[in-house]
Amino acid sequence: MRMKPLIMFSLWLGLLSLFATVSSNRLANARDQQISAQITLANHIKDAKSIVDLRSKQQVVSERKRPEQDVIAKVNATLADVGIPNNHFDSLRPESDGALPDSKYRRQSIRINLNEITVAELGAFLNQWSLTQKLWTPTRIELLHARNKSNADRYNITILITATYLANG
């Protein structure tokens, strides 16, 4: 008869151990989820700050009638500044030049085509461009993988730059 209470005690002890183990695992999973959520929140906050910073930047407006048309020279100079050979510069094509609605300003857009550029080279080009060309702002960038299979990390890039200027200046 003494065995029955010992068996009951052992069963209760086993059940308590099982519950403690399950609770411990759930707590560890909850902590992992909390850490993951905190990291995600920090990334979202960082992204939101970047968006707010970008939205607060204003485009430079020229008080002259029309921006200088030496964009090819500016592209070549920027490529040289960052060490990209000029043979990667494919073409430059005017996109549009028109009045802004209900405004005394006009906006001119030009499309720049660069061939077989890496993402790092594009970043260096855009950084240097933003430092030296305040009037011409990149407004759209398109990347297409270059067909050259030996350089899989290279892209053919189209950059649309715009300049806003006073229509009757």
Side-chain angles (χ1 to χ4, degrees):
M1 292 248 178
R2 284 182 150 246
M3 285 302 264
K4 194 170 188 178
L6 187 59
I7 292 173
M8 290 300 283
F9 178 74
S10 297
L11 285 174
W12 277 108
L13 188 59
L15 281 174
L16 287 175
S17 297
L18 178 64
F19 288 136
T21 303
V22 169
S23 295
S24 174
N25 287 339
R26 290 180 68 193
L27 180 62
N29 287 337
R31 283 186 185 146
D32 290 344
Q33 288 176 353
Q34 178 191 15
I35 291 170
S36 176
Q38 287 174 331
I39 291 170
T40 301
L41 176 63
N43 288 336
H44 287 313
I45 289 171
K46 182 177 135 190
D47 291 345
K49 284 181 182 178
S50 296
I51 290 169
V52 168
D53 288 344
L54 288 172
R55 285 185 179 163
S56 68
K57 290 188 177 183
Q58 296 181 359
Q59 185 174 5
V60 175
V61 176
S62 174
E63 296 302 327
R64 294 184 304 204
K65 182 163 169 87
R66 188 174 176 152
E68 296 176 20
Q69 298 301 305
D70 61 345
V71 179
I72 291 175
K74 292 176 181 184
V75 170
N76 282 325
T78 303
L79 288 171
D81 288 347
V82 296
I84 300 172
N86 285 348
N87 64 340
H88 291 283
F89 178 42
D90 180 38
S91 64
L92 184 130
R93 185 180 66 211
E95 184 76 13
S96 66
D97 188 359
L100 296 176
D102 301 325
S103 175
K104 61 182 179 179
Y105 295 101
R106 294 179 63 86
R107 179 172 290 140
Q108 182 178 9
S109 297
I110 296 177
R111 192 173 295 275
I112 301 169
N113 293 312
L114 303 173
N115 288 334
E116 296 188 6
I117 301 289
T118 65
V119 174
E121 289 172 332
L122 172 62
F125 176 85
L126 292 173
N127 185 50
Q128 183 65 22
W129 184 268
S130 69
L131 293 174
T132 60
Q133 307 304 321
K134 300 295 184 192
L135 184 59
W136 291 101
T137 305
T139 55
R140 186 180 317 140
I141 301 171
E142 298 172 8
L143 286 83
L144 295 172
H145 267 109
R147 296 188 187 259
N148 186 350
K149 291 185 180 183
S150 64
N151 292 326
D153 65 337
R154 298 208 172 256
Y155 295 87
N156 293 333
I157 299 169
T158 302
I159 305 169
L160 183 68
I161 57 172
T162 61
T164 304
Y165 60 94
L166 194 59
N168 298 323

